[in-house]
Amino acid sequence: MKTLKDYQKALKKARKKGDETEAEILQAEIELKFSSQKSSESLSGFAPINAKAPIKVETINLDGYLGPWLGPISNFETGILIRGDKGAGKTRLLFQMMNAFVNAGKSVCFFTLEMDQYHTVIKNYMNDYIQGANRPEIMVASEVGGMEGIHRAAQHFDVVAVDSWNKIPNLKQTDFNDARKKNQNTVFLAIFQSTTGRATRGGNMPEFDCDVVVHVHEGGIAKFEKNRFSPGLLDYDVFRQRMLQSGK
């Protein structure tokens, strides 16, 4: 069976000989046999804008004030990045989010890489922000063993929370986006260490890749710098667990 390359060689040879009739026949055969194939190949990867996703996509509405503050969250390639001032309440906010996701029926794992899982602070935050019935539902680990550990966890849990992402060994800037893309139905909640200029330590590429960027300011006021799920008109008081008008 002749391939497109075979026909193209024959066409080139016919034109070189000046055999216009043969060239026209070969050109017609190429268009007849291969034009539809080329069209199909050129559109590979495209789909109608209203096409159904190949995996299950749902909207997650969290309870309490976190729900209306964050907005309706998609579980498709979703990343929520938390950074902030020292002692402002980043980890407290992460615990509140984990509790809300369990209330929404989601399985959650938590990599506590800044402090050991048995540290007093972690125990206190668990008692303060995780409802009693939810505590057995959150699996905790103090070591991750690189991005392989993140990917393994994402295969088993709906939500993977990390404090902090920068503590993952041998980290690359692209790893956060790779985690989202390879584990499309897992929501990633990650605290990132900040520079003194309130930028993500290690590079800001994850901020462009994720759906939500929250900066927790001194005093526990969490403000959106980016939110694809909500217009972000409200701030959130982490310590009092309530919403505020933006700028208040």
Side-chain angles (χ1 to χ4, degrees):
M1 183 178 179
K2 289 185 177 181
T3 65
L4 175 59
K5 192 173 182 180
D6 294 330
Y7 277 97
Q8 288 172 333
K9 284 183 177 179
L11 176 60
K12 184 178 180 180
K13 188 175 181 180
R15 286 175 174 169
K16 189 174 182 179
K17 291 194 315 184
D19 192 340
E20 295 299 327
T21 302
E22 179 68 12
E24 288 179 6
I25 293 173
L26 289 167
Q27 184 65 48
E29 289 183 348
I30 289 173
E31 292 176 2
L32 179 64
K33 294 182 178 181
F34 300 103
S35 61
S36 60
Q37 177 183 328
K38 288 181 66 179
S39 176
S40 175
E41 290 174 353
S42 67
L43 291 176
S44 176
F46 284 91
I49 196 168
N50 63 340
K52 187 177 180 180
I55 61 176
K56 184 180 179 182
V57 179
E58 62 177 299
T59 298
I60 306 169
N61 292 293
L62 301 182
D63 63 358
Y65 288 112
L66 286 175
W69 179 61
L70 281 166
I73 300 168
S74 169
N75 73 328
F76 183 72
E77 297 186 357
T78 296
I80 298 176
L81 185 155
I82 302 169
R83 55 172 165 77
D85 302 338
K86 292 180 180 178
K90 301 182 294 297
T91 305
R92 294 172 190 264
L93 177 58
L94 184 68
F95 269 80
Q96 292 169 26
M97 287 183 178
M98 288 193 292
N99 185 69
F101 272 103
V102 175
N103 282 340
K106 302 305 174 186
S107 59
V108 177
C109 76
F110 173 41
F111 290 102
T112 172
L113 307 180
E114 291 280 352
M115 293 175 280
D116 190 88
Q117 64 195 84
Y118 301 109
H119 195 286
T120 301
V121 171
I122 298 299
K123 292 295 185 181
N124 289 342
Y125 286 176
M126 186 71 72
N127 291 330
D128 291 343
Y129 301 113
I130 307 297
Q131 294 167 242
N134 291 346
R135 291 169 197 167
E137 303 302 319
I138 299 176
M139 303 302 292
V140 186
S142 302
E143 296 182 0
V144 64
M147 283 303 299
E148 296 84 1
I150 296 293
H151 289 295
R152 282 196 299 271
Q155 297 300 309
H156 298 281
F157 295 93
D158 301 315
V159 178
V160 173
V162 184
D163 181 11
S164 66
W165 189 270
N166 306 81
K167 290 289 186 177
I168 299 173
N170 304 315
L171 199 63
K172 301 190 298 292
Q173 274 209 62
T174 56
D175 282 337
F176 189 73
N177 193 49
D178 289 343
R180 293 169 53 249
K181 293 293 184 180
K182 292 178 181 178
N183 310 283
Q184 293 179 311
N185 270 153
T186 302
V187 176
F188 291 91
L189 310 176
I191 292 177
F192 278 72
Q193 296 172 350
S194 298
T195 66
T196 54
R198 292 182 177 176
T200 300
R201 188 177 299 279
N204 63 358
M205 187 178 293
E207 296 191 15
F208 292 98
D209 297 329
C210 69
D211 302 284
V212 178
V213 177
V214 179
H215 189 95
V216 185
H217 296 258
E218 185 178 354
I221 305 303
K223 298 175 179 286
F224 291 123
E225 295 190 1
K226 174 183 180 181
N227 190 342
R228 290 173 176 158
F229 305 123
S230 168
L233 300 177
L234 300 169
D235 296 335
Y236 182 75
D237 188 329
V238 175
F239 293 106
R240 295 176 179 83
Q241 300 184 62
R242 66 180 185 181
M243 288 189 298
L244 304 168
Q245 291 295 325
S246 184
K248 297 295 184 181

